[in-house]
Amino acid sequence: MMNALAATNRNFCHAARILGLDSRLEKSLLIPFREIKVECTIPKDDGTLASYVGFRVQHDNARGPMKGGIRYHPEVDHDEVNALAQLMTWKTAVADIPYGGAKGGIGCNPMDLSITELERLTRVFTQKIQDLIGIHRDVPAPDLGTNAQTMAWILDEYSKFQGHSPAVVTGKPIVSKSEREDLGGSLGREAATGRGVVFATEALLAEYGKSITDMKFALQGFGNVGSWAAKFIHEKGGKVVAVSDVTGAVENSIGIDIPALIEYKEINGTLKDFQGGDSMDLNDLLIHECDVLIPCALGGVLNKQNAADVKAKFIIEGANHPTDPEADEILSKKGVVILPDIYANSGGVTVSYFETFKDSCGKEEKVNFELQRYMKRAFREIKAMCKLHDCSLRMGAFSLGVDRVARATLLRGWEA
Ligand SMILES: NC(=O)C1=CN([C@@H]2O[C@H](COP(=O)(O)OP(=O)(O)OC[C@H]3O[C@@H](n4cnc5c(N)ncnc54)[C@H](O)[C@@H]3O)[C@@H](O)[C@H]2O)C=CC1
Ligand SMILES: O=C(O)CCC(=O)C(=O)O
C-alpha cells in the first residue's frame, strides 16, 4: 500500500500537470510551510511516566490562517499528518473558505487513556505548540479520537499563555438542550461533517437521477462523522444495511434502525452485540452488498487487496484519504464513482469557519442552510473542472483547490 503522503503528493502532482502549473510553483506548494514535532510526557494516573510524540504540520497559508483537526490515534506519524495537512489546504480552497491547511496529531491510543490522562496530554501538547497557533496563524479542531472536550482543554491551556482566546480552536462545546454557546462553539458543528457528507451524496446521486431513498448504504466507522451521516441518511429514507466501528460490525438487509443503534452505542460504547441485525466481520464491511459505501474511519482502507471486491457503485469519502491510488485505479476501471474527501467531508471545516466568523451562527437552521449552499456550490464548481479537463471527480476537486491556492500564492508573490 502506498503511504498517505506519497499518495497525496501523487494526486497533487497529477492536478498540477492538468493545470499546467509552473514547476517552481508546484515545488513551493508541495513543501509544507512548517512542521512541528514535540515530545509530550505525562504522569499516568498510577504515577508512572508515559511519553508520546505530537505533530502539527502547517502546510499552506496563502488563502488564510492554517486550519485542520488534531487526531489521537496509534498510527499517527509524520507522513500521515503531512498528508492530512496538505489535504486540508486543497479542502478549504474547494470549499472556498478563507483558510489554508494544517493537521496535528499525537501517536497514542485514546481508548487506553483515562479522561484525566487525556486532559494532561492535551495540555502538554498545547504548551508545546501554543506559540505557533492562534486565530491569525493556525486554528485546530477535532478529528479522529478527539472531540469538543479536547478543544475546550486546548482553549483553556492556550489562554493561560496568550489571554482568553476562544477562537484559537473550533469544534468547541455547546450545551445543546439550552442552545447556549458555552465557549463560543457553533450549533451544528458537531453534526456538520456527517451532514455535509449527506448533502454531497445527494448532489452526486442527483447527477445519476437517483436519490437517497433509492439506495442501500454501508458505513465504516460510527464516531462523529459516521453516526451523524447514518442518522441523516436514515431520516431521509435511505436504507443503512451495514455499519462498523473498531469493535465490531452489524448488518441488516432490510435496514438498521439507526436511532436505536445510536442509543445502543451511547449506552454500551460499542456496536458489538447490537440485537437489531446480524454481526459480521469488521473487514467485510467494505465489500458488503450495497449501492453506496461511506468510509468514515481510517485512511488507506480501500487498497489493492479489497478494491476488486467492492460491490458499491458509489463511494463517498467521509474519512480522509480512505482510498489508496491503486484502489482508485481498480475502482475507476470497474465504473465505481468516487466522491473525494477534500469535497465530501468539507462540511466540518465549513461550519468551523461559520463558528469563528459567526456569519451564520446563532440558529442551527441557518448554519445548516448555509452549509448546504456551500456544499452545492462546491459540487457545481468541481463538475465544471471535470468537464473542462475531462477528469475524475478527484482530479476535478484537486485541480479546483490547487488552482485557487496557486492563484493566491502568485498574487501574494515571493520576496525578491
Ligand atoms: N470530525 C470531523 O469533523 C472530521 C473528520 N474527518 C475524518 O473522518 C474520519 C472519522 O473521524 P471522526 O468521526 O471524527 O472520528 P471518531 O473518533 O469520532 O470516530 C472514528 C470511528 O471509526 C471507528 N474505527 C476506527 N478504526 C476502525 C476500523 N478498523 N474499522 C471500523 N471502524 C473503525 C471508531 O470505532 C469510531 O467509530 C477520519 O478520517 C477523519 O479525519 C473528516 C472531516 C472532518
Ligand atoms: O474543522 C476543522 O478545522 C477540521 C476539519 C478537519 O480536520 C478535516 O476536515 O479533516
Side-chain angles (χ1 to χ4, degrees), residues 40-45 50 52 70-74 106-126 144-147 149-154 157:
C40 301
T41 298
I42 56 159
K44 302 262 282 176
D45 293 344
Y52 303 89
I70 292 183
R71 170 176 290 205
Y72 289 177
H73 191 271
I106 302 181
C108 68
N109 188 349
M111 289 192 296
D112 291 346
L113 295 172
S114 71
I115 188 89
T116 49
E117 290 166 344
L118 280 172
E119 178 174 351
R120 267 178 240 135
L121 184 57
T122 303
R123 287 184 184 279
V124 170
F125 181 55
T126 308
L144 190 84
T146 58
N147 56 28
Q149 177 61 73
T150 323
M151 297 306 112
W153 291 327
I154 295 176
E157 196 61 30

Side-chain angles (χ1 to χ4, degrees), residues 30-220:
L30 205 53
I31 301 170
F33 172 84
R34 185 189 278 133
E35 300 179 12
I36 306 159
K37 180 177 175 184
V38 294
E39 165 264 331
C40 301
T41 298
I42 56 159
K44 302 262 282 176
D45 293 344
D46 65 6
T48 59
L49 289 181
S51 294
Y52 303 89
V53 183
F55 301 90
R56 184 76 183 168
V57 174
Q58 300 173 329
H59 177 257
D60 191 274
N61 61 2
R63 301 183 77 257
M66 294 168 282
K67 187 85 188 85
I70 292 183
R71 170 176 290 205
Y72 289 177
H73 191 271
E75 279 164 28
V76 163
D77 65 18
H78 169 270
D79 279 9
E80 184 189 68
V81 179
N82 251 282
L84 294 168
Q86 188 189 142
L87 287 175
M88 286 307 303
T89 299
W90 317 135
K91 187 185 302 186
T92 53
V94 166
D96 208 6
I97 52 178
Y99 284 128
K103 201 84 173 196
I106 302 181
C108 68
N109 188 349
M111 289 192 296
D112 291 346
L113 295 172
S114 71
I115 188 89
T116 49
E117 290 166 344
L118 280 172
E119 178 174 351
R120 267 178 240 135
L121 184 57
T122 303
R123 287 184 184 279
V124 170
F125 181 55
T126 308
Q127 286 163 22
K128 300 274 171 97
I129 64 168
Q130 55 82 21
D131 52 343
L132 297 169
I133 60 173
I135 181 170
H136 300 298
R137 289 167 179 256
D138 175 7
V139 182
D143 190 69
L144 190 84
T146 58
N147 56 28
Q149 177 61 73
T150 323
M151 297 306 112
W153 291 327
I154 295 176
L155 181 167
D156 184 66
E157 196 61 30
Y158 179 86
S159 296
K160 288 179 190 164
F161 293 88
Q162 308 285 350
H164 184 58
S165 313
V168 66
V169 285
T170 60
K172 295 180 285 288
I174 49 163
V175 176
S176 56
K177 279 200 182 97
S178 63
E179 298 206 338
R180 261 188 315 123
E181 299 167 29
D182 271 2
L183 284 175
S186 170
L187 294 167
R189 171 58 184 93
E190 203 199 307
T193 309
R195 195 186 293 277
V197 162
V198 177
F199 288 149
T201 307
E202 287 180 314
L204 179 69
L205 292 179
E207 289 284 307
Y208 292 83
K210 296 188 186 306
S211 77
I212 285 189
T213 43
D214 307 327
M215 299 275 122
K216 288 187 188 154
F217 294 82
L219 288 92
Q220 183 191 45

Side-chain angles (χ1 to χ4, degrees), residues 10-21 395 398-399 402:
R10 190 171 119 150
N11 285 330
F12 163 75
C13 292
H14 188 178
R17 274 198 306 280
I18 288 177
L19 294 166
L21 225 60
M395 277 308 119
F398 261 82
S399 47
V402 172

Side-chain angles (χ1 to χ4, degrees), residues 71 143-145 189 193 222-225 245-246 296-297 318-320 345:
R71 170 176 290 205
D143 190 69
L144 190 84
R189 171 58 184 93
T193 309
F222 205 65
N224 175 286
V225 182
D245 73 359
V246 71
C296 301
N320 283 306
N345 68 36

